[in-house]
């Protein structure tokens, strides 16, 4: 089964084809307009998706040499609702025009299943740390469609903390990649930032963000590279600590890393060095992409799932809930 996947939940317009041999095409257009505003502007994101979606999808479809796919999958949430609606409506129209099955995919399930797209990806059950701009959650993936939330952030997401620290240092947007780059010239032990621990398998990053702000107000503040490296080290310590704790309590040693923050160099290095069976997908499969949506949709379709073209978009949606809200 060859599936066209469409992703438009935030500021990436993406389309990909995934089949039995893996990813046949994977096209991502990253919207650049938001940099001027210091963050994603929802309406501008939706408008930019409208302009790019057909071009991106046509490019992804070249892999099928003019044939339609066997099914279409699209992100139905969670995300910026106007942005989700563009890709979802576009995907439904394609499915209707080609008379092929349609399935709506939870964006977080896309991230969650992305490690299984790798050649040596984890078998079920595995732990998956999803660290993105909007989410920091640890799941135990039992099987396709059955995900147990073990822990999550009680305040800011890790990516949000990266973006806010970048803003404090006036490094631009998106903050994650620039903090990552700036940190490479810094000393991770220069500033002893706190490692907040709300208990259990949860995280808290707002205190760490405040500690960075307070440090920057001091006359003897460290250089930006040292601040970035020290902040990043604190985030990585917190993330690794809960994953190790979860592996101990569940006995599950297979771990996947997913979401935009998983593109971070220090985080990737730390996870690769853990005494666990860790899959760290390539960076372009950690940040938003449609290959993960096509893959998740394909697994759902192979399990017999189909959605009506009346399926709605959802701004909030836990991957452990079914696609259509129970009435
Ligand atoms: O998964 P993603 O592309 O979109 C969401 O679903 O949110 O994640 C975006 C987040 C942003 O907060 C961005 O700053 C962060 O991922 N990010 C990074 C890096 N690349 C992207 N954070 C740290 N280091 C990076 N290299
Ligand atoms: Zn994402």
């Amino acid at each position: 089964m060859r599936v066209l996947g469409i992703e438009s939940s935030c500021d990436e317009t993406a389309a990909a084809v995934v089949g039995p041999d893996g990813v046949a095409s994977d096209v991502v257009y990253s919207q650049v307009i938001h940099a001027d505003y210091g963050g994603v502007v929802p309406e501008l994101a939706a408008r930019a998706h409208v302009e790019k979606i057909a071009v991106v999808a046509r490019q992804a479809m070249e892999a099928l040499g003019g044939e339609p796919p066997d099914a279409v999958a699209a992100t139905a949430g969670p995300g910026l609702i106007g942005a989700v609606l563009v890709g979802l409506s576009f995907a439904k129209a394609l499915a209707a025009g080609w008379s092929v099955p349609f399935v709506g995919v939870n964006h977080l399930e896309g991230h969650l299943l992305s490690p299984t797209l790798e050649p040596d990806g984890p078998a079920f059950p595995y732990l998956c740390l999803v660290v993105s701009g909007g989410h920091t959650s640890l799941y135990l993936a039992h099987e396709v469609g059955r995900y147990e939330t073990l822990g999550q952030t009680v305040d800011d997401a890790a990516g949000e903390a990266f973006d806010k620290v970048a803003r404090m240092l006036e490094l631009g947007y998106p903050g994650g990649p620039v903090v990552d780059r700036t940190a490479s010239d810094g000393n991770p032990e220069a500033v002893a930032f706190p490692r907040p621990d709300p208990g259990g398998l949860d995280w808290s990053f707002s205190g760490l963000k405040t500690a960075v702000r307070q440090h920057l107000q001091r006359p003897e503040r460290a250089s930006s590279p040292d601040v970035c490296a020290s902040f990043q080290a604190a985030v990585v310590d917190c993330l690794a600590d809960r994953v190790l704790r979860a592996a101990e309590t569940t006995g599950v040693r297979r771990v996947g890393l997913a979401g935009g923050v998983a593109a971070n160099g220090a985080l990737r290095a730390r996870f690769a060095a853990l005494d666990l069976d860790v899959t760290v997908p390539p960076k372009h499969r950690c940040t938003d992409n449609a290959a993960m949506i096509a893959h998740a949709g394909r697994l759902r379709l192979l399990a017999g799932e189909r959605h009506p073209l009346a399926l709605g978009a959802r701004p909030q949606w836990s991957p452990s809930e079914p696609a259509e809200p129970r009435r």
Side-chain angles (χ1 to χ4, degrees):
M1 183 188 274
R2 298 172 311 175
V3 177
L4 171 68
I6 300 285
E7 155 64 32
S8 70
S9 64
C10 191
D11 57 346
E12 260 88 29
T13 315
V17 174
V18 172
D21 302 324
V23 181
S25 63
D26 186 6
V27 183
V28 181
Y29 169 74
S30 294
Q31 301 177 358
V32 285
I33 34 167
H34 308 291
D36 296 343
Y37 301 89
V40 178
V41 183
E43 179 164 342
L44 293 181
R47 288 170 183 268
H49 287 308
V50 168
E51 288 171 17
K52 286 288 180 203
I53 192 92
V55 181
V56 165
R58 184 167 288 158
Q59 220 174 314
M61 282 298 294
E62 281 171 15
L64 295 180
E67 294 287 309
D70 299 308
V72 180
T75 300
L80 302 173
I81 201 70
V84 171
L85 285 170
V86 176
L88 183 62
S89 305
F90 183 78
K92 286 179 179 181
L94 289 179
W98 285 322
S99 299
V100 297
F102 165 78
V103 71
V105 174
N106 183 306
H107 178 84
L108 292 170
E109 183 179 31
H111 279 305
L112 249 165
L113 291 173
S114 64
T116 67
L117 202 45
E118 297 309 307
D120 300 318
F124 292 106
Y126 63 92
L127 297 168
C128 191
L129 174 64
V130 179
V131 260
S132 70
H135 298 88
T136 298
S137 304
L138 181 61
Y139 299 98
L140 175 54
H142 292 280
E143 60 185 11
V144 175
R146 200 154 69 86
Y147 314 107
E148 191 181 337
T149 307
L150 301 180
Q152 55 198 335
T153 179
V154 298
D155 41 53
D156 292 351
E160 208 176 335
F162 270 93
D163 294 334
K164 285 178 180 164
V165 166
R167 196 180 298 181
M168 288 176 213
L169 291 167
E170 295 177 359
L171 294 173
Y173 181 88
V178 64
V179 168
D180 192 354
R181 277 198 302 279
T182 308
S184 60
D185 297 323
N187 172 9
E189 288 168 11
V191 189
F193 287 128
R195 270 74 172 152
D197 183 356
L201 296 170
D202 288 338
W203 290 276
S204 166
F205 292 109
S206 75
L208 173 57
K209 180 189 67 188
T210 306
V212 173
R213 180 172 292 124
Q214 285 170 346
H215 174 82
L216 292 176
Q217 283 160 356
R218 290 193 198 153
E220 75 286 13
R221 60 157 278 196
S223 68
S224 292
D226 281 353
V227 171
C228 287
S230 302
F231 158 75
Q232 194 172 269
V235 174
V236 169
D237 276 352
C238 294
L239 294 173
D241 176 77
R242 300 316 178 270
V243 169
L244 286 167
R245 218 180 268 178
E248 200 155 297
T249 52
T250 60
V252 175
R253 300 184 57 79
R254 287 185 293 267
V255 177
L257 191 57
V261 182
N264 182 269
L267 183 64
R268 298 170 73 82
R270 172 70 65 84
F271 271 65
L274 291 179
D275 185 23
L276 293 171
D277 183 3
V278 183
T279 302
V280 183
K283 291 184 187 181
H284 66 281
R285 290 279 154 68
C286 293
T287 48
D288 286 349
N289 65 88
M292 68 181 193
I293 302 303
H295 174 59
R298 184 171 179 274
L299 295 178
R300 291 270 185 170
L301 288 154
L302 288 172
E305 201 163 327
R306 308 273 185 279
H307 291 147
L309 294 179
L311 181 81
R314 297 173 66 176
Q316 309 282 341
W317 179 14
S318 155
S320 42
E321 286 171 62
E324 286 165 292
R326 288 202 187 87
R327 291 176 205 282

